[in-house]
C-alpha cells in the first residue's frame, strides 16, 4: 500500500503502532485520513482486524471512517469495531447485562421517556414542578452519573438543604424505577459498562486482550466516564492512540473535559506526541489570524498551523453602524461575489446564537438570495416563535381553532388529548369556535381540576388583549401574552440551555415588533400579522437549491466553506456575557472563535455593529475582545482600531475603520457587558405587572401609545383618561401601558 500522499508527520503517526500516542491534529490537518491509513498500515503489518477498536462520537463519523478504511483494505474492515462510544458499550452490555443487574431484554429510554418518568416521580413525591422542572432534574441526574456519583453518595456529600434533598429524592427513585423497568438511559449505557468492568475482572481482561490497539477520535470532547472506559480497556497493552485538538474543545457545557487531552502525558509517561500542524484547508492569512487569537489561551498545547498555500487575501473587517446595516452589508457582499462567479454554496454565515439568524434571513430574502439554516430551524419556524404567533392570531381571530389547538397546552395546563377532543366536540355541537366554548362556564366545569384555573387565565388574557387591542401597542399585546399565559415563566423555570435559547428567540421577536411599530404609520396587530405572514412566505426555500448556509459556530465544527462570515464580534455577544465570569469560560469562547475562523478556506470576513437591537432594546457595543487580540496587520485596511470613517462595506477603498465603542478606546481593564437577556425578560415582566399601581382622578399619566393625559375617573378595573392627542379613553388597568408622571 502506498502512503506517498501523506506528509512526514502524518506518516510518522501512521507508522507508530506500539505504545501510547497522542496525535494533536489541528483544524484541516487531515486527521481522518491519518487515522484510516494508520489502520491500513497495522493490517499490512499483520495486526488482526479483530484486535482493532476505533471509537468516535457520532454515527456519521463512524460510518465515514469505516467507508474510508474499506476503500483502503476492502471487506476486512467489517471485522473491526469502528463505532460510537454508546454502540461499543451497548454491544458489550447486551452480552453481560446480569453483572450490572439487568436482564438481556433491557430497553433504552429516550429523552421523552425520561421526562415522563421524572414527572411521575415529582407528582408522587409531592415536589413542586414549578421549582424543580423535569429538565432541571434530569440535567442534575446526568451530571451525577458522569461523575459516577450514586444517589446515596450525592445525598451524603452535598449540603443538607431543600434543593439537594429534592434532587437526591428524585435521583434515588429514578434509579430504582429504571432498574425495576429493566431500562437504561444514554448515561446508563456508558456508566454501566464501566461498572461492569469494575465488577468483573475476567470480562474486562477479555476485552483488554481482544482490543490490543485502540484509537479514539475527537478525544478533546470526551467526558470523565468515557475517559475511564477507554483507559480501562487500554490498561493492559497501552496501545492507545487518541486524536484531537485541544484548541477545538467547545463542548465543556455538555460535559467535555479538556483535561483529558491536556494531561495525556501525565496518564502515560511513555506517550509519544505528534503534532499535525500542516493545514490543507485555509490560506495562510486565515491561519495566522486564528493563531493570533488562540495563542492567548493558557490551557492549550503549543502548536501553530501552517500551510503550503499562498497567503491569500487579508481578513476583511467591517464595523457597521447598526445590526441591520451589518446584515445588509453581508447580504450585498454575497450577492456581488456570486455575480462575479462564486456559487451561493461557497458562503457560510456563522453566528454565536440562533437568535442572530433573523436579520440575515431577512436581508438575504430581500435580495432574493437562497439560504438554508443548518442544525436548527429558520427563525419563523422555531417552536417558540410559532407558539407566540398562534397566540397573537387568536387575539386577531378568536375562531382560529388551529392556533388554539397548538397553544392550548403550551405551556402545560393539564389538558390531555381526551380533554381537548371533548372541548372540540362541544364546540362542534354548538357550531362555535373552541375558544368561545371555553368561555362558557358549563364547558369549563367538565375540565380536569388542575386545568380549570389555567384555562380561565388563558381565555381571560386573550379576551382582554382582543378587547383592548385598539388601546395597546402590538408590543404591549405581545408582552401580556408572553407573561400572562405563563409561557415565559415556564421557560425561566426550566433552567435548561435549550430554554435559554428559546427565551433569546422570544426576546428577539420583540425587536421584530419594534421594527414594525417604528416603520409603520398606524401599527395594528391585524396589520402586523399580515406583514409577518408575508415575510414568512418569502422565507421559503428549496433545500436542493444552490444556497448560502446559516448556522451557529458550534454546529459548524468539522465543516469548511470557501468564504466565511463571522458577524456580531462584540463583547457580550461574542464572547458571550457569561464568559467574563471565569478564565475557563473565556478560553472556551476563544476556542469557539478559533473554530469559526478555521472553517474558512479562502476568505474570512469579520464584522460588528456599533448599535445592536437585542431583545427589543438598543445596545451600544464594544468590539470583541477577540478582535482586539487579532494581529491587526492581517486585517484589510490601515485604519483598524481607530474611530470609524465612512466605509461602503467590506474591503471598501477607504479602508475598514474600527470605532472604539467607548471613551477609553481599548483599555485592558476589566469589562463586564450587561446581561441583556436577563434585563429584557425582567422588563417584559415589569411592563405587564402594573396591577398594584393605583390611579386617582387628577393624576397626570403617560400612555405608551396616546401620550400624556389626565385621569378623570378610576376604579380597580378601568381608568378613564383625557388625552391631549385622542380625547377621552377608557383603559383596562390590567393591560394599559400607563404610568404616573412624577
Amino acid at each position: 500500500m502506498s502512503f506517498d500522499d501523506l506528509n512526514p508527520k502524518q506518516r510518522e503517526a501512521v507508522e507508530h503502532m506500539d505504545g501510547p500516542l497522542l496525535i494533536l491534529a489541528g483544524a484541516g490537518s487531515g486527521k481522518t485520513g491519518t487515522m484510516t491509513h494508520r489502520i491500513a498500515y497495522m493490517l499490512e503489518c499483520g495486526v488482526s482486524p479483530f484486535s482493532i477498536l476505533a471509537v468516535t462520537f457520532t454515527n456519521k463519523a463512524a460510518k465515514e471512517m469505516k467507508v474510508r478504511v474499506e476503500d483502503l483494505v476492502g471487506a476486512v474492515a467489517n471485522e473491526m469495531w469502528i463505532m460510537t462510544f454508546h454502540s461499543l458499550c451497548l454491544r458489550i452490555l447486551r452480552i453481560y447485562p446480569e453483572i450490572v443487574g439487568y436482564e438481556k431484554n433491557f430497553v433504552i429510554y429516550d429523552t421523552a421517556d425520561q421526562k415522563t418518568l421524572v414527572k411521575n416521580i415529582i407528582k408522587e413525591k409531592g415536589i413542586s414542578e414549578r421549582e424543580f422542572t423535569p429538565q432541571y432534574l434530569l440535567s442534575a441526574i446526568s451530571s451525577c452519573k458522569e461523575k459516577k456519583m450514586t444517589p446515596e453518595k450525592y445525598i451524603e456529600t452535598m449540603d443538607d438543604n431543600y434543593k439537594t434533598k429534592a434532587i437526591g429524592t428524585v435521583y434515588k427513585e429514578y434509579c430504582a424505577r429504571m432498574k425495576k423497568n429493566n431500562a437504561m438511559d444514554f448515561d446508563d449505557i456508558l456508566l454501566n459498562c464501566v461498572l461492569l468492568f469494575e465488577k468483573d475482572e475476567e470480562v474486562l481482561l477479555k476485552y483488554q486482550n481482544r482490543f490490543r490497539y485502540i484509537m479514539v477520535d475527537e478525544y478533546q470532547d470526551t467526558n470523565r466516564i468515557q475517559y475511564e472506559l477507554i483507559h480501562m480497556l487500554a490498561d493492559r497493552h497501552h496501545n492507545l492512540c487518541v486524536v484531537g485538538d485541544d484548541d477545538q474543545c467547545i463542548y465543556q457545557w455538555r460535559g467535555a473535559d479538556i483535561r483529558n487531552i491536556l494531561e495525556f502525558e501525565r496518564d502515560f509517561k511513555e506517550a509519544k506526541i505528534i503534532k499535525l500542524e500542516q493545514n490543507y484547508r485555509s490560506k495562510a492569512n486565515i491561519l495566522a489570524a486564528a493563531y493570533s487569537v488562540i495563542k492567548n489561551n493558557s490551557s492549550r498545547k503549543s502548536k501553530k498551523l501552517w500551510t503550503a498555500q499562498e497567503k491569500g487575501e487579508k481578513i476583511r473587517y467591517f464595523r457597521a453602524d447598526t445590526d441591520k446595516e451589518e446584515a445588509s452589508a453581508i447580504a450585498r457582499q454575497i450577492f456581488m461575489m456570486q455575480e462575479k462567479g462564486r456559487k451561493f454554496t461557497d458562503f457560510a454565515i456563522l453566528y454565536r446564537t440562533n437568535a442572530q439568524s433573523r436579520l440575515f434571513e431577512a436581508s438575504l430574502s430581500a435580495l432574493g438570495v437562497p439560504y438554508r439554516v443548518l442544525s436548527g430551524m429558520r427563525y419563523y419556524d422555531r417552536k417558540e416563535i410559532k407558539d407566540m404567533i398562534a397566540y397573537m392570531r387568536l387575539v386577531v381571530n378568536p375562531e382560529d381553532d388551529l392556533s388554539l389547538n397548538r397553544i392550548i397546552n403550551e405551556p402545560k395546563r393539564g389538558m390531555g388529548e381526551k380533554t381537548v377532543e371533548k372541548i372540540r366536540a362541544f364546540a362542534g355541537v354548538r357550531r362555535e369556535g373552541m375558544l368561545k366554548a371555553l368561555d362558557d362556564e358549563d364547558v369549563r366545569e367538565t375540565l380536569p381540576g388542575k386545568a380549570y384555573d389555567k384555562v380561565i387565565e388563558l381565555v381571560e388574557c386573550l379576551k382582554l388583549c382582543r378587547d383592548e387591542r385598539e388601546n395597546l401597542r402590538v408590543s404591549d399585546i405581545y408582552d401580556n401574552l408572553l407573561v400572562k399565559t405563563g409561557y415565559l415563566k415556564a421557560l425561566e423555570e426550566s433552567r435548561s440551555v435549550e430554554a435559554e435559547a428559546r427565551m433569546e428567540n422570544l426576546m428577539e421577536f420583540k425587536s421584530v415588533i419594534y421594527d414594525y411599530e417604528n416603520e409603520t404609520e398606524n401599527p395594528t396587530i391585524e396589520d402586523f400579522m399580515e406583514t409577518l405572514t408575508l415575510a414568512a412566505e418569502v422565507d421559503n426555500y428549496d433545500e436542493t437549491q444552490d444556497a448560502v448556509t446559516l448556522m451557529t459556530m458550534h454546529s459548524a465544527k468539522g465543516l469548511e466553506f470557501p468564504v466565511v462570515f463571522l458577524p456580531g464580534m462584540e463583547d457580550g455577544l461574542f464572547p458571550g456575557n457569561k464568559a467574563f465570569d471565569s478564565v475557563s469560560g473565556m478560553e472556551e469562547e476563544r476556542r469557539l472563535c478559533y473554530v469559526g475562523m478555521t472553517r474558512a478556506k479562502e476568505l474570512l470576513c469579520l464584522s460588528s455593529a456599533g448599535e445592536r437591537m437585542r431583545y427589543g432594546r438598543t445596545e451600544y457595543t464594544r468590539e470583541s475582545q477577540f478582535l482586539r487580540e487579532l494581529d491587526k496587520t492581517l486585517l484589510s485596511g490601515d485604519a483598524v482600531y481607530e474611530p470609524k470613517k465612512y466605509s461602503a462595506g467590506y474591503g471598501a477603498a477607504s479602508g475598514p475603520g474600527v470605532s472604539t465603542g467607548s471613551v477609553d478606546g481599548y483599555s485592558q481593564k476589566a469589562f463586564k457587558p450587561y446581561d441583556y437577556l436577563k434585563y429584557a425578560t425582567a422588563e417584559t415582566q415589569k411592563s405587564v405587572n402594573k396591577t398594584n399601581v393605583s390611579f386617582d382622578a387628577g393624576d397626570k399619566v403617560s400612555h405608551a401609545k396616546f401620550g400624556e393625559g389626565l385621569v378623570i375617573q378610576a376604579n380597580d378595573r378601568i381608568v378613564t383618561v383625557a388625552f391631549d392627542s385622542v380625547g377621552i379613553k377608557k383603559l383596562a388597568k390590567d393591560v394599559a401601558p400607563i404610568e404616573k408622571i412624577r
Side-chain angles (χ1 to χ4, degrees), residues 334-520:
I334 290 173
F335 185 82
M336 288 188 291
M337 281 192 269
Q338 190 268 344
E339 290 278 286
K340 292 179 180 178
R342 284 197 178 275
K343 297 177 181 178
F344 285 126
T345 50
D346 288 349
F347 303 98
I349 303 173
L350 310 181
Y351 33 77
R352 180 62 184 85
T353 67
N354 274 309
Q356 289 172 256
S357 78
R358 178 182 66 86
L359 287 177
F360 298 109
E361 292 184 54
S363 295
L364 292 168
S365 292
L367 291 176
V369 175
Y371 69 91
R372 52 176 166 260
V373 182
L374 297 188
S375 299
M377 295 182 181
R378 291 177 302 142
Y379 184 77
Y380 290 110
D381 286 341
R382 289 165 186 154
K383 178 186 180 303
E384 58 277 11
I385 302 301
K386 280 185 169 293
D387 287 348
M388 292 313 301
I389 288 173
Y391 274 113
M392 296 175 84
R393 280 177 177 159
L394 284 166
V395 172
V396 174
N397 177 20
E399 303 297 318
D400 186 355
D401 284 356
L402 186 66
S403 291
L404 184 64
N405 273 293
R406 179 179 182 89
I407 56 85
I408 195 166
N409 217 29
E410 292 290 345
K412 300 299 181 189
R413 297 189 174 93
M415 300 281 285
E417 185 55 40
K418 288 184 178 178
T419 303
V420 175
E421 187 57 45
K422 190 188 297 182
I423 296 165
R424 197 178 291 119
F426 272 122
V429 170
R430 299 177 176 215
R431 296 185 178 181
E432 60 188 19
M434 290 173 64
L435 186 60
K436 191 173 181 180
L438 284 171
D439 198 25
D440 190 301
E441 184 60 33
D442 291 338
V443 176
R444 288 178 183 172
E445 290 292 340
T446 67
L447 298 176
K450 59 184 177 181
Y452 185 84
D453 290 339
K454 291 183 179 180
V455 168
I456 290 178
E457 287 175 4
L458 170 66
V459 173
E460 291 302 315
C461 176
L462 289 170
K463 187 191 289 185
L464 191 57
C465 287
R466 177 166 175 78
D467 292 345
E468 291 291 312
R469 66 190 187 280
E470 291 184 4
N471 299 328
L472 298 171
R473 298 173 302 178
V474 180
S475 52
D476 296 322
I477 295 172
Y478 180 74
D479 283 347
N480 275 280
L481 291 172
L482 204 54
V483 174
K484 292 195 172 187
T485 62
Y487 199 99
L488 182 61
K489 187 177 181 181
L491 288 174
E492 288 179 318
E493 290 176 347
S494 176
R495 291 177 282 191
S496 67
V497 175
E498 181 187 6
E500 184 171 336
R502 288 186 172 179
M503 284 194 294
E504 286 179 351
N505 289 327
L506 289 170
M507 293 299 112
E508 179 61 21
F509 195 55
K510 290 185 73 171
S511 299
V512 178
I513 296 171
Y514 282 145
D515 283 345
Y516 164 77
E517 289 176 337
N518 292 331
E519 295 167 2
T520 307

Side-chain angles (χ1 to χ4, degrees), residues 53-59 61-63 65-66 80-91 211 215:
L53 169 67
V55 188
T56 187
F57 275 83
T58 66
N59 289 317
K63 186 178 179 181
M65 187 180 293
K66 196 163 189 175
M80 291 175 247
W81 283 25
I82 302 176
M83 57 187 61
T84 65
F85 278 98
H86 284 95
S87 298
L88 166 68
C89 293
L90 195 55
R91 186 175 289 192
F211 300 127
M215 299 177 67

Side-chain angles (χ1 to χ4, degrees), residues 27 248 250-251 281-282 286 326-327 330-331 334 344-358 360-361 364 371-376 382 547-570 573-575 589 591-601 603-608 612 626 650:
Q248 297 188 73
I250 58 174
Y251 298 120
R281 176 187 299 155
S282 307
I286 295 171
E326 178 189 37
I330 290 174
I334 290 173
F344 285 126
T345 50
D346 288 349
F347 303 98
I349 303 173
L350 310 181
Y351 33 77
R352 180 62 184 85
T353 67
N354 274 309
Q356 289 172 256
S357 78
R358 178 182 66 86
F360 298 109
E361 292 184 54
L364 292 168
Y371 69 91
R372 52 176 166 260
V373 182
L374 297 188
S375 299
R382 289 165 186 154
V548 177
T549 299
L550 278 67
M551 64 197 313
T552 64
M553 277 174 270
H554 278 103
S555 300
K557 187 168 177 281
L559 303 178
E560 59 183 40
F561 305 89
V563 183
V564 169
F565 293 87
L566 298 187
M569 299 291 291
E570 303 141 22
L573 181 57
F574 191 40
E589 286 285 282
R591 290 192 293 270
L592 185 59
C593 183
Y594 176 81
V595 167
M597 295 173 78
T598 54
R599 297 314 92 194
K601 296 168 68 176
L603 179 61
L604 175 62
C605 304
L606 311 176
S607 60
S608 65
R612 182 172 297 278
F626 305 145
Y650 289 102

Side-chain angles (χ1 to χ4, degrees), residues 89 146 158-159 170 222 263 300 407 495 563 606 622 656:
C89 293
E146 280 185 12
M158 300 302 288
D159 293 333
V170 174
T222 54
E263 297 174 0
R300 67 182 295 270
I407 56 85
R495 291 177 282 191
V563 183
L606 311 176
R622 164 176 166 143

Side-chain angles (χ1 to χ4, degrees), residues 265-334:
E265 300 103 305
R266 183 204 66 181
D267 298 331
F268 298 95
K269 304 292 190 220
E270 72 277 30
K272 184 177 181 65
I273 315 297
I274 296 175
K275 300 176 184 179
L276 303 185
E277 296 174 295
Q278 183 174 358
N279 176 282
Y280 295 92
R281 176 187 299 155
S282 307
K283 301 290 187 183
N285 279 335
I286 295 171
L287 297 179
Y291 178 74
S292 70
V293 174
I294 197 63
K295 71 178 183 180
N296 292 282
N297 272 6
S298 56
S299 298
R300 67 182 295 270
K301 300 283 189 181
S302 175
K303 58 188 172 300
K304 185 177 182 181
L305 295 182
W306 64 275
T307 180
Q309 297 189 59
E310 60 187 13
K311 284 188 175 182
E313 190 174 336
K314 285 189 175 184
I315 313 306
R316 296 184 186 180
Y317 176 73
F318 176 53
R319 174 76 165 170
D321 289 329
T322 67
D323 50 354
K324 281 189 174 180
E325 180 188 324
E326 178 189 37
S328 294
I330 290 174
R332 287 196 305 272
Q333 285 299 306
I334 290 173

Side-chain angles (χ1 to χ4, degrees), residues 629-640:
E629 294 171 353
L630 201 151
D631 182 354
K632 67 180 182 181
T633 64
L634 299 169
L635 296 176
S636 60
D638 56 5
V640 180

